[in-house]
Amino acid sequence: MTYCLGMLLEAGLVMMADTRTNAGVDNISSYKKLHILESSEAMCVIACTAGNLSVSQLAFNYLAEGLPEIEEGAGRRRIAGMANMHRVAGLVGEAIHCAREEIKEATGENQYDFTASMLVGGRFAGRPLRLFHIYSVGNFISCQPDRPFLQIGETKYGRPILDRAARWEMALDDAVKTGLLSFDSTMRSNLGVGRPIDLAVLPADEGQPMLTRRIEEEDAYFDELSRLWAKALAEVRKGIPMPPFMAGVGGAQAAG
Amino acid sequence: MTYCLGMLLEAGLVMMADTRTNAGVDNISSYKKLHILESSEAMCVIACTAGNLSVSQLAFNYLAEGLPEIEEGAGRRRIAGMANMHRVAGLVGEAIHCAREEIKEATGENQYDFTASMLVGGRFAGRPLRLFHIYSVGNFISCQPDRPFLQIGETKYGRPILDRAARWEMALDDAVKTGLLSFDSTMRSNLGVGRPIDLAVLPADEGQPMLTRRIEEEDAYFDELSRLWAKALAEVRKGIPMPPFMAGVGGAQAAG
């Protein structure tokens, strides 16, 4: 399993991915799922992957080699040659689509579901930050301020905290904290999602550098965040009044 | 969509179900999904249903009419004639299986997924409370104290709070409150789950009556629970220190 989260905010772009892969519970491994595809003065492109690893790795290979030229002499198509982030998303979608078709054809398998999806975020110099969800057949959607986050993989356990807290206007540190809380909930409920967590933060202010960080298996801040959150949730739950209609039921001490 | 939750605790049995059904977002309706199948001095059996409504309704019809007798003269098999809760779970599983097969055969459809699952809980007089998850093909599992809850339908959004809080030893009023928080998270993230919420509580103490209640669209306690929980979560999140590695990134005020 996998959990990847992208947040596109007024203050910048946050992308996070866990590193756990599993093919059954007896075959658990660790693979990097957050990849810096381009990082130059001209552009910065980050991708997070979920789904079939052979598909996403082959897609990255296509992107590195360049996709077939459209007309003779135009040259193979790579991310660095695209005109904008929207075109980058389209190229990544095409790479995923081609990878999937190649694997299906090569293996002759129809029963396996060779699907992979990606979050692709980044910026061309002087242009706004963008974030896309690329589906396994190659189409994609763009993240919008009304709901400033996108998720792939094991998305549901960690979504309530995002629905409550993720806002276009939030600061980057608050966004990273909120994202880590979302990962914490996910990791509690699904063993297929686990640390290390890879993180990339691209501030909207182009004068500031990209921050990348790996939250390791042992990370004092994450451990403390997880502990404080669990403790506070228990206290908050305790502080909410008992249902008045339960007064006296089963020896309950409820009082309206 | 649907969300149903059963909790089997030292203090008793709690079963909850929402009432929203939808076949597409333009066809939303309200159906009762929590059913008291038997309530006599001899036994009490409660079922919550998720999945295809035509399957679960037909399964209930089978149970009411009685499933075919096994040997001539033995009589049709009904819940009231079963020897214990384990047999009840088996009979309900058989009813779901038969309903599904009948509908598949009658419609000649293979492309639709006529699946339904149920939570079945209750007690035979003088015997312990039991709770089962009946799968759509008819097999079932029993709830155990180590993880004292079972869910069907839209299970993931509301599960983190249960993973954190649900304990075999918890009081019934606390269990109901925790269950309502689980529904609150689910309803925030999936419009296919909605109030009214039906609730049945069967105390372990057989001297106490079963409590049933419907939490309506407008319910002062639930509204307050939802409001307090949202407010407290926001405050708790605010109170957790910012990631020290984010200090200064994007103008953040983070401090280790």
Side-chain angles (χ1 to χ4, degrees), chain A residues 1 11 14 154-161 163-165 167 170-174 176-178 180-181 184-186 188-190 199 201 203-205 208-209 211 213 215 219 221 224-226 228-230 232-233 236-255, chain B residues 1 11 14 154-161 163-165 167 170-174 176-178 180-181 184-186 188-190 199 201 203-205 208-209 211 213 215 219 221 224-226 228-230 232-233 236-255:
Chain A
M1 209 57 209
V14 175
E154 177 62 277
T155 62
K156 292 190 176 182
Y157 297 123
R159 188 162 142 202
I161 180 70
D163 282 336
R164 292 179 191 278
R167 297 290 174 272
M170 78 198 302
L172 286 177
D173 51 358
D174 195 15
V176 169
K177 181 171 79 172
T178 302
L180 291 176
L181 291 173
D184 183 52
S185 292
T186 307
R188 274 192 72 95
S189 293
N190 187 333
L199 166 71
V201 179
D205 172 3
Q208 291 209 27
L211 175 143
R213 189 179 176 90
I215 312 283
D219 180 278
Y221 173 72
E224 182 69 356
L225 167 134
S226 179
L228 287 173
W229 185 241
L233 285 187
V236 166
R237 198 174 56 81
K238 208 168 169 183
I240 291 178
M242 290 295 183
F245 54 82
M246 287 297 291
V249 178
Q253 302 299 311
Chain B
M1 210 55 211
V14 175
E154 177 62 277
T155 61
K156 292 190 178 183
Y157 297 124
R159 189 163 142 199
I161 179 71
D163 281 335
R164 291 179 191 279
R167 297 289 176 271
M170 78 197 304
L172 286 177
D173 51 359
D174 195 15
V176 169
K177 180 171 81 170
T178 302
L180 291 176
L181 290 173
D184 183 53
S185 292
T186 307
R188 274 192 72 97
S189 293
N190 187 334
L199 167 70
V201 179
D205 172 2
Q208 291 208 28
L211 176 142
R213 189 178 176 89
I215 312 284
D219 180 279
Y221 173 71
E224 182 69 358
L225 168 134
S226 179
L228 287 174
W229 185 241
L233 285 188
V236 165
R237 196 175 56 82
K238 209 168 166 181
I240 292 177
M242 292 295 184
F245 54 82
M246 288 296 292
V249 177
Q253 302 299 310

